[in-house]
């Protein structure tokens, strides 16, 4: 037990150190920031999909509402950025609570319904009639709060917290119960697991992560339009990174985000045609040969993947 | 004598298709009953109806003299009814984790003590405690399913086809496990197609087309020509 705690602490420290030290070796801080965003988002997807089996195509809704929640708290109520960011996380949790009836659905129905919900939130936020509240389609400007360095380190803290939460879930009875529910919800309920409550709790943790990350993204970017934070591609990236690395593990989504997002930035912008070819091939190979993600390569050899 | 468990006039349907018609069952405390029936006879539906996982059109269910038919499934679990599904285990969890989920509501130290006790009863599971349930043989998996079902000892254990997908050798192993469990164990209702489970039963019911077509002791059942023909593959005298 003690050894496990040391291992967990070491993982968190390594992740933090990697992103604290990375700007010394690599000058593109924006890319590093966005990589952290995707690692955290893919871990949020991981909590839902990896542990409960629910694939949230509309996950970006929490990210977007977190970005808008934090920004509007800064703009309308003059909250300091870090407090506003926490507010953005709280608003995402409230949205999660509001959308929790979606968890009555499963499989493709849940995936589609969550996507529809995220688009509904997007349409409300970008509605020109709400310009006085949300600035409608004209976007957000946080120029007076712009602080790329501080927002970068706040994102490191959010990432560390996210990794710690996933580690906790993996080790805890809560996480075991979630995985049991994923395998067979009826049997889990028969064992006394409060299925609906536990699933809703996981959903809200996942929402909180996306909300906080969205808030940090808004602060770091400082100028953005609604479609930048409600873009479906954010959900798709987070889902693909999770599945590529291996859902239900900590290291899988982390590996998936670093490799695929790194590749996207290396060749995705300069040579998009090659990137899309390689990306597509990788996904086909993954589905055919490693449906449980890259982590399953190690698992097949009998290794335990954290 | 008032039975420990009684289901009376159970009727249930899937939409407009009624599948159970006035089913009556009774069990005394500590008894083991086998509910025989072919595929589609309504065995699983009956167990689900008893557990509250399928709504009743009609009927009453009493446990220890108290009505439970209006209770939600989780409240029936609290009253001591446990339903072991055909799958029985969580394939992606280890043996130890399966047992932990089985005793989800127990305090941590009590859960550990109970799991260690079960490892003494099921030494094969102890040896493989960190192996994933998916890697177990069919027989071991059923053994784990039974162990998981009794981490918190139920008062009534409803089992859905524990022999499903097992070779005859493994069926024998499962029957042996249940025979051991009988001593001071829960009252059991085992829905089955396999007559081997009659070895450990006090009482038998045959469910046919959603109706109970036979009720009686195992000896009476074995003497019944129609049942012998249908389930033992032998004709009359």
């Amino acid at each position: 037990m003690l050894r496990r705690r040391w291992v967990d602490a070491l993982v968190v420290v390594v992740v933090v150190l990697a992103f604290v030290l990375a700007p010394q070796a690599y000058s593109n801080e924006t890319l590093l920031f966005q990589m952290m965003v995707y690692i955290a988002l893919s871990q949020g997807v991981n909590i839902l999909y990896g542990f409960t089996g629910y694939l949230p195509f509309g996950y970006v809704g929490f990210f977007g509402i977190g970005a808008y929640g934090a920004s509007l708290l800064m703009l309308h109520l003059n909250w300091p950025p870090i407090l506003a960011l926490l507010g953005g996380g709280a608003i995402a949790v409230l949205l999660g609570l509001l959308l929790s009836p979606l968890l009555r659905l499963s499989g493709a129905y849940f995936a589609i319904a969550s996507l529809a919900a995220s688009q509904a939130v997007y349409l409300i936020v970008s509605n020109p009639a709400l310009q006085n509240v949300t600035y409608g389609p004209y976007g957000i400007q946080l120029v007076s709060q712009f602080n790329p360095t501080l927002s970068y380190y706040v994102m490191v803290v959010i990432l560390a917290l996210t990794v710690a939460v996933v580690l906790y879930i993996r080790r805890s009875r809560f996480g075991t119960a979630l995985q049991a529910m994923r395998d067979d919800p009826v049997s889990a309920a028969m064992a006394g697991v409060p299925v609906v409550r536990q699933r809703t709790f996981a959903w809200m943790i996942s929402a909180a992560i996306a909300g906080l990350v969205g808030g940090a993204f808004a602060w770091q970017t400082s100028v953005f339009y609604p479609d930048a934070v409600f873009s479906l591609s954010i959900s798709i990236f987070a889902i693909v990174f999770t599945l590529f690395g291996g859902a239900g593990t900590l290291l899988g989504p982390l590996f998936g985000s670093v490799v695929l997002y790194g590749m996207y930035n290396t060749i995705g912008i300069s040579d998009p045609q090659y990137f899309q070819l390689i990306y597509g091939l990788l996904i086909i190979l993954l589905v055919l040969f490693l449906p449980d993600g890259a982590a399953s390569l190690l698992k097949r050899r009998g290794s335990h993947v954290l | 004598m008032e039975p420990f468990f009684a289901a009376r006039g159970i009727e249930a349907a899937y939409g407009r298709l009624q599948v159970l018609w006035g089913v009556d069952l009774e069990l005394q405390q500590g008894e083991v009953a086998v509910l025989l029936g072919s595929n589609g006879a309504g065995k699983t539906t009956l167990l689900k109806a008893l557990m509250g996982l399928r709504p009743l059109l009609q009927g009453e269910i009493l446990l220890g003299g108290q009505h439970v038919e209006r209770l939600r499934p989780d409240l029936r679990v609290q009253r001591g009814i446990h339903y072991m599904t055909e799958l029985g285990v969580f394939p992606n969890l280890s043996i130890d984790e399966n047992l932990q989920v089985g005793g989800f509501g127990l305090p941590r130290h009590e859960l550990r003590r109970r799991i260690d006790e079960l490892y003494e009863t099921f030494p094969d599971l102890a040896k493989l405690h960190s192996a994933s349930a998916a890697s177990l043989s069919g027989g071991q998996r059923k053994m784990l399913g039974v162990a998981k079902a009794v981490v918190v000892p139920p008062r009534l254990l409803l089992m859905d086809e524990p022999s499903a997908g097992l070779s005859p050798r493994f069926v024998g192993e499962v029957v042996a496990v249940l025979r051991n469990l009988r001593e001071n164990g829960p009252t059991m209702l085992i829905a089955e197609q396999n007559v081997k489970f009659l070895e450990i039963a006090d009482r038998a019911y045959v469910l046919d087309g959603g109706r109970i077509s036979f009720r009686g002791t195992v000896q009476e059942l074995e003497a019944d020509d129609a049942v012998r023909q249908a389930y033992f593959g032998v004709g009359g005298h």
Side-chain angles (χ1 to χ4, degrees):
Chain A
M1 182 63 92
L2 198 63
R3 193 175 149 259
R4 279 182 176 182
R5 285 196 182 143
W6 275 108
V7 171
D8 291 357
L10 187 69
V11 170
V12 176
V13 168
V14 167
V15 171
V16 168
L17 276 181
F19 281 99
V20 166
L21 298 175
Q24 317 293 330
Y26 184 69
S27 60
N28 191 343
E29 221 169 81
T30 307
L31 191 152
L32 292 171
F33 181 89
Q34 291 191 351
M35 189 173 274
M36 284 194 286
V37 164
Y38 279 109
I39 294 173
L41 288 180
S42 61
Q43 294 296 355
V45 167
N46 189 25
I47 290 173
L48 261 184
Y49 181 67
F51 290 90
T52 72
Y54 279 73
L55 192 58
F57 265 104
Y59 192 55
V60 68
F62 295 131
F63 176 80
I65 202 75
Y68 262 86
S71 305
L72 298 179
L73 287 171
M74 284 187 243
L75 291 169
H76 290 309
L77 302 178
N78 294 318
W79 283 22
I82 294 176
L83 197 61
L85 210 140
L86 292 174
I91 291 169
V93 170
L94 283 178
L95 178 67
L97 200 59
L98 194 70
L99 297 179
S100 60
L102 294 184
L103 295 168
R104 289 166 192 261
L105 303 170
S106 60
Y109 298 103
F110 171 81
I112 292 165
S114 77
L115 177 61
S118 75
Q119 290 309 295
V121 176
Y122 164 61
L123 291 173
I124 292 169
V125 167
S126 60
N127 187 343
L130 291 174
Q131 192 187 342
N132 290 337
V133 185
T134 63
Y135 299 88
Y138 311 109
I140 295 280
Q141 289 201 31
L142 297 170
V143 181
S144 62
Q145 306 285 1
F146 184 57
N147 189 339
T149 309
L150 185 57
S151 59
Y152 181 92
Y153 289 107
V154 167
M155 187 59 223
V156 174
V157 173
I158 294 171
L159 179 62
L161 280 174
T162 304
V163 169
V165 165
V166 175
L167 282 169
Y168 165 75
I169 291 176
R170 264 186 74 78
R171 305 281 200 209
S172 67
R173 283 168 89 175
F174 169 59
T176 310
L178 288 180
Q179 291 177 78
M181 283 154 43
R182 182 193 58 196
D183 282 359
D184 183 355
V186 172
S187 286
M190 293 306 101
V193 176
V195 171
V196 174
R197 201 193 317 156
Q198 301 281 68
R199 197 180 275 153
T200 308
F201 194 44
W203 168 247
M204 298 211 307
I205 293 174
S206 180
I209 291 171
L212 288 171
V213 175
F217 177 85
W219 186 21
Q220 158 93 189
T221 312
S222 80
V223 177
F224 61 90
Y225 295 96
D227 49 0
V229 291
F230 284 102
S231 162
L232 181 60
S233 65
I234 297 175
S235 282
I236 305 265
F237 268 22
I239 289 170
V240 169
F241 296 167
T242 306
L243 298 182
F244 181 82
T249 65
L250 171 86
L251 296 180
L254 204 154
F255 174 78
S257 305
V258 171
V259 170
L260 293 185
Y261 195 68
M263 195 168 85
Y264 171 70
N265 279 285
T266 314
I267 56 169
I269 295 156
S270 59
D271 300 291
Q273 69 279 30
Y274 294 125
F275 167 74
Q276 285 180 358
L277 179 71
I278 296 172
Y279 221 60
L281 280 174
L282 268 177
I283 291 171
I284 290 169
L285 289 174
L286 183 82
V287 171
L288 286 177
F289 300 108
L290 290 174
D292 293 327
S296 62
L297 261 182
L298 294 171
K299 281 184 184 169
R300 280 182 199 173
R301 294 172 174 215
S303 307
H304 175 74
V305 180
L306 192 64
Chain B
M1 192 169 70
E2 182 70 19
F4 170 67
F5 175 73
R8 295 188 185 121
I10 301 295
E11 307 216 339
Y14 287 94
R16 292 163 74 178
L17 179 69
Q18 186 162 347
V19 287
L20 294 176
W21 305 80
V23 173
D24 293 332
L25 294 170
E26 283 188 357
L27 279 130
Q28 297 299 338
Q29 187 142 25
E31 258 188 347
V32 174
V34 168
L35 176 73
L36 280 178
S38 53
N39 282 336
K43 301 188 297 296
T44 300
T45 308
L46 177 57
L47 295 193
K48 285 186 171 172
L50 297 179
M51 196 64 230
L53 296 167
R54 284 244 40 104
L56 294 185
L57 294 177
Q58 257 188 68
E60 56 178 24
I61 304 165
L62 291 105
L63 182 74
Q66 293 193 315
H67 284 270
V68 297
E69 69 272 5
R70 289 180 188 278
L71 297 182
R72 291 196 318 257
D74 55 321
L75 297 175
R76 295 187 204 196
V77 173
Q78 281 180 18
R79 297 282 174 98
I81 309 181
H82 189 105
Y83 171 49
M84 185 180 148
T85 59
E86 215 175 282
L87 184 63
V89 299
F90 305 114
N92 292 306
L93 299 185
S94 69
I95 288 180
D96 214 67
E97 287 168 336
N98 264 279
L99 297 177
Q100 285 175 33
V101 175
F104 186 78
L106 295 178
R108 195 174 289 271
H109 63 280
E110 199 181 328
L111 175 63
R112 197 64 255 167
R113 184 186 59 76
R114 186 70 191 123
I115 291 177
D116 289 340
E117 270 175 22
L118 285 167
Y119 280 153
E120 281 174 29
T121 316
F122 300 97
D124 285 359
L125 297 182
K127 274 183 248 164
L128 299 164
H129 67 95
S130 60
S132 91
S135 68
L136 301 178
S137 71
Q140 289 167 330
R141 216 178 287 184
K142 295 290 176 184
M143 207 181 289
L144 174 59
V146 174
K148 180 168 77 62
V150 299
V151 177
V152 179
R155 295 165 76 198
L156 172 67
L157 180 55
L158 307 173
M159 303 180 85
D160 196 357
E161 288 215 39
S163 78
L166 294 186
S167 66
R169 185 168 74 85
F170 287 136
V171 172
E173 278 182 25
V174 175
V175 170
V177 165
L178 295 180
R179 186 177 281 125
N180 281 339
L181 193 68
R182 277 206 61 160
E183 309 300 318
N184 307 316
T187 306
M188 286 189 254
L189 176 63
I190 307 169
E192 257 303 337
Q193 301 193 47
N194 192 317
V195 289
K196 184 138 182 81
F197 286 81
L198 293 171
E199 290 176 14
I200 53 164
D202 303 296
R203 207 187 265 254
Y205 291 92
V206 175
L207 191 64
D208 197 2
R211 291 181 168 86
I212 295 287
S213 63
F214 174 90
R215 73 187 68 235
T217 64
V218 174
Q219 291 74 22
E220 286 165 349
L221 179 118
E222 283 169 352
D224 187 293
D225 276 354
V227 176
R228 277 162 60 90
Q229 207 158 9
Y231 291 95
F232 293 82
V234 288
H237 295 288

